[in-house]
Amino acid sequence: MNNWIVLLVTFFAGMGAGLGTGFAGMSAAAVISPMLITFLGIEPYTAVGIALASDVLASAVSAYTYKKNKNLDVRNGLLMMAMVLLFTVVGSYVSSIVPARTMGGFSTFMTLILGIKFILKPVMTTKQEMEAVSKKKKIVGSVLCGIMIGFICGFIGAGGGMMMLLILTSVLGYELKTAVGTSVFIMTFTALTGAISHFSLGDSPDIFVMVLCIVFTFIWARIAAKFANKAKPETLNRAVGIVLALLGVVILGFEYLVK
C-alpha cells in the first residue's frame, strides 16, 4: 500500500472515530472498520481488531475528561461492564467464522443508520430524570443490555458505544453527558478485550496502519471530549449524527458505485 494513501485514510478515519468517541461515546470501530475495509482493502476481521485497538486509548482519554467534569457514573456501570466484557469475547469468536463480506457490509450499514437516528431524534435527558430511575430497573437493564452490546461489539466492532449511549439514556434513564462518560469508560475495557480476542484468533495486524489509527483517534477524541463537556446535548447528538451519516453514504457509494 502507498504510505501517503495509508496516512490520508487513517487520518480521516481517526478524526471521524475520535470525534464520535469524544462527543457521543461512539465506538471508534464504527468508523475505522468500514474505512479500512473499503479504502485500504484490509481483511474485515483484522480491520475490526485494529479499530478496537484504536478505541482503547481514545475511550480512556475521553472517560478521564468526563470524569474530571463529574460526568461519569462508574458504580452503576460496573455490572453492565461485566456483561459487555464477557459477551465481547463471544461475539469476537462468532465473527471469526462469519463471511468477511457480511461483516463489512453490516458495519457500514450501521454507521449510516445510527447517524440518521441521531440527526432526527437526539437523546435528551436531565440528571433529575436519571436519578428517578429505580435501582432494580437499572440492574436488570444493565445485565440484559450488557449482553447485547458486548456481543455486537465483539462481532463487528461497530455500534457498541452508540448502542450503550442509547440504552443508558433511553432505557436506564441517564443524562446525556453522564451517559457518554460512562459509555466511554466501559468501552475502554470492552475495546481492549475485543482487540485481544481478535488478534489471538486471527492474523497479526499491519503495525503501521494500527499505530496511525491509534494516534489519530486518540488526538481527536481528546479534543472532542473537551468541547463536549461544554456543549449543549442536542448539538452533540446532531454533530455526531451528521458525521456518521456522511461517512456511511461515502463508504456505501464507494463500495457499490465505484467498484
Side-chain angles (χ1 to χ4, degrees), residues 2 4 20 35 46 72 74 80 107 124 130 135 141 150 152 165 168 173 175 179 187 198-199 204 216 239 253:
N2 184 292
W4 286 108
M35 289 195 71
T46 302
L72 194 159
V74 177
M80 180 181 287
S107 62
M124 304 294 291
M130 179 182 77
K135 183 177 180 180
I152 291 175
L165 178 64
L168 287 173
E175 173 266 340
M187 286 303 298
H198 268 66
F199 295 144
S204 298
F216 289 137

Side-chain angles (χ1 to χ4, degrees), residues 39-58:
F39 299 111
L40 297 184
I42 293 177
E43 197 273 327
Y45 188 76
T46 302
V48 170
I50 292 174
L52 288 170
S54 303
D55 209 1
V56 178
L57 288 180

Side-chain angles (χ1 to χ4, degrees), residues 62-74 127 130 174-185 225 228-231:
S62 297
Y64 173 74
T65 304
Y66 278 90
K67 177 65 175 176
K68 284 181 60 178
N69 288 274
K70 299 180 180 180
N71 288 318
L72 194 159
D73 184 2
V74 177
K127 286 194 174 182
M130 179 182 77
Y174 275 62
E175 173 266 340
L176 181 60
K177 290 183 180 179
T178 304
V180 175
T182 304
S183 175
V184 290
F185 172 74
N229 279 278
K230 300 178 181 179

